[in-house]
Each structure stands twice: as structure tokens, then as C-alpha cells.
Amino acid sequence: MKKFDRVLWDWNGTLLDDLDMNYEVMKTMLLNTGKASFPSKEFYLEHFGFPIINFYKLLGFSFENRSFEKAAEEYVFEYEKRLPGTKLFENAESTLKTLSENNIKQAVISATGHERLALQVSRFGIEKYFDAVLGTENELGKGKTDVARAWLKKSKADPKRTVFIGDTLHDLETAQAIGCECIFIARGHNSKERLLSSGCRVLGDIGEIPHEIL
């Protein structure tokens, strides 16, 4: 018998290859505030996390003269403007297809607003692989934990038979909140070293997932 019968996928940085684009968005936003420089990508990988407002402050954003809500609106605008240039990671769709063919139920989750997430997923034609597309109620980047809890309750999934696949330590926090195992793919928004420090399995490519869980 397979160890898992359900997979909860993170979206950004796990299925969607958007690290470079997201870094450029935040760099543009900070430079627009008049800052002379932006932290390195290495700094980004070592510190990116949720709630996103804390990460913004760490980068150097100040919300004294402009609200965080306004900054979030600017982020969505800049992100959507660049989104057509993004792609899924290589082997992402073939992995989803393989798991589906082996009767693994799948859902995708993101701190992105629900409607925007649904549009992003459908853009790549992969919505057919998911029983649920799980976004948040707003674009304020509070994280995915509450969304995951609501999904678990509604779906009545067995957390012991569910695995969360992600690319950041927040994904582990979310997995722990619902009582399921977590596997990392080190190609997204946290460094491999940071992920390894968690003690979870860390893979280098999404194509390794079927071997790991089937």
C-alpha cells in the first residue's frame, strides 16, 4: 500500500518557477521608494517567509508614509505584469500526471488570493489534476496555514496519508499545523541549506516526487 494517497502542493516556487521574477518585483518596489540598493538574492533566499509584512520590513520597506495594503496592491500589479514570462518547472506537469494516474488526489495551495490563483493555474492547463485550488481571501500575504486547516476539515483528508510538497519553511509550518509530512524541493524561495536545517527530506527536482511517494 502506498504511504500517501493525497498531495498538497505549494504553488509559487514549487510548481511555478517564479523566484527570479518575484525577486525582481520586490527589488523594483523597494527601489521605487527611493532606496539606493536591494539585498542580494542570497539574502532573499535566507530570509523569505511569512507573514510577508515582516519580510518587507526586513528588506527595508517602511510603512510610515504608505500603508502595507498599498504596497501589497503594487506587488500584485508588478507581479501580474511579469507573470506571462513565467513557466512551470520542468517535469511539473508530468509529475502531476503520474500521480493522478496512480490515484493520488492532489490540491494546490498558495498565499495568493483565490481568484488570482485559479487564473494562474488554469493558464497552464493543469487544473484538471487538482481536486481543490486553495488561495487566500486577500493579497496581504499572511500565509497558508488557515487555508490548509479549512481544506483539511472540508476534505476530511487523513493527515497521516497526506504529504505537503513545498519550497519554504513556511510550508513546513503549514504541514505541521495540519499534522502531515513535508517534502521540500530546493529550487524555490528558500535556500537548500535553510531547508536542510529543518530535518525534512529535500529534493533537487520535482521529477523525483513520484519515486518518493508512490
Side-chain angles (χ1 to χ4, degrees):
M1 184 174 69
K2 296 187 291 289
K3 182 177 180 180
F4 303 110
D5 55 26
R6 197 178 297 260
V7 172
L8 185 56
W9 289 98
D10 171 60
W11 176 239
N12 306 90
T14 302
L15 291 169
L16 181 66
D17 183 3
D18 69 345
L19 168 61
D20 290 342
M21 187 264 275
N22 201 66
Y23 177 78
E24 289 302 319
V25 167
M26 291 195 166
K27 182 177 180 179
T28 297
M29 288 174 60
L30 188 59
L31 295 179
N32 284 345
T33 68
K35 298 291 184 180
S37 62
F38 186 82
S40 67
K41 187 176 291 185
E42 289 72 24
F43 182 94
Y44 178 101
L45 293 171
E46 289 303 320
H47 295 92
F48 178 82
F50 293 87
I52 202 70
I53 187 173
N54 293 339
F55 181 58
Y56 274 45
K57 290 177 179 178
L58 190 62
L59 291 176
F61 285 90
S62 171
F63 302 112
E64 294 179 359
N65 299 318
R66 185 181 65 157
S67 69
F68 171 64
E69 288 75 13
K70 287 294 184 182
E73 290 177 8
E74 182 184 354
Y75 171 83
V76 170
F77 176 79
E78 293 290 344
Y79 188 98
E80 288 292 324
K81 190 166 63 174
R82 293 167 172 80
L83 187 62
T86 60
K87 61 185 185 303
L88 297 178
F89 279 108
E90 185 178 4
N91 299 320
E93 184 168 3
S94 62
T95 295
L96 296 174
K97 184 174 185 291
T98 296
L99 297 184
S100 180
E101 291 173 345
N102 282 273
N103 299 314
I104 301 291
K105 292 184 177 180
Q106 301 175 85
V108 60
I109 187 171
S110 174
T112 300
H114 178 76
E115 290 185 7
R116 199 157 61 89
L117 176 61
L119 287 172
Q120 290 177 14
V121 170
S122 65
R123 174 175 172 265
F124 293 100
I126 58 173
E127 66 275 13
K128 59 190 174 185
Y129 298 114
F130 302 119
D131 291 335
V133 175
L134 308 166
T136 58
E137 294 181 358
N138 56 55
E139 302 285 356
L140 299 182
K142 293 183 178 179
K144 302 181 282 262
T145 302
D146 289 344
V147 176
R149 285 198 185 104
W151 167 79
L152 185 71
K153 182 177 181 180
K154 183 177 180 179
S155 68
K156 298 181 180 179
D158 181 354
K160 294 182 179 179
R161 302 271 297 156
T162 302
V163 60
F164 194 117
I165 301 174
D167 69 304
T168 71
L169 293 183
H170 177 61
D171 295 322
L172 175 58
E173 294 169 357
T174 304
Q176 290 174 334
I178 63 174
C180 73
E181 191 169 325
C182 183
I183 297 176
F184 289 123
I185 303 172
R187 298 183 68 185
H189 296 264
N190 281 175
S191 69
K192 182 177 181 179
E193 292 72 24
R194 193 176 175 197
L195 299 177
L196 285 169
S197 71
S198 71
C200 293
R201 280 180 288 173
V202 179
L203 307 180
D205 188 275
I206 196 171
E208 300 174 57
I209 289 295
H211 175 74
E212 287 288 322
I213 70 174
L214 291 179

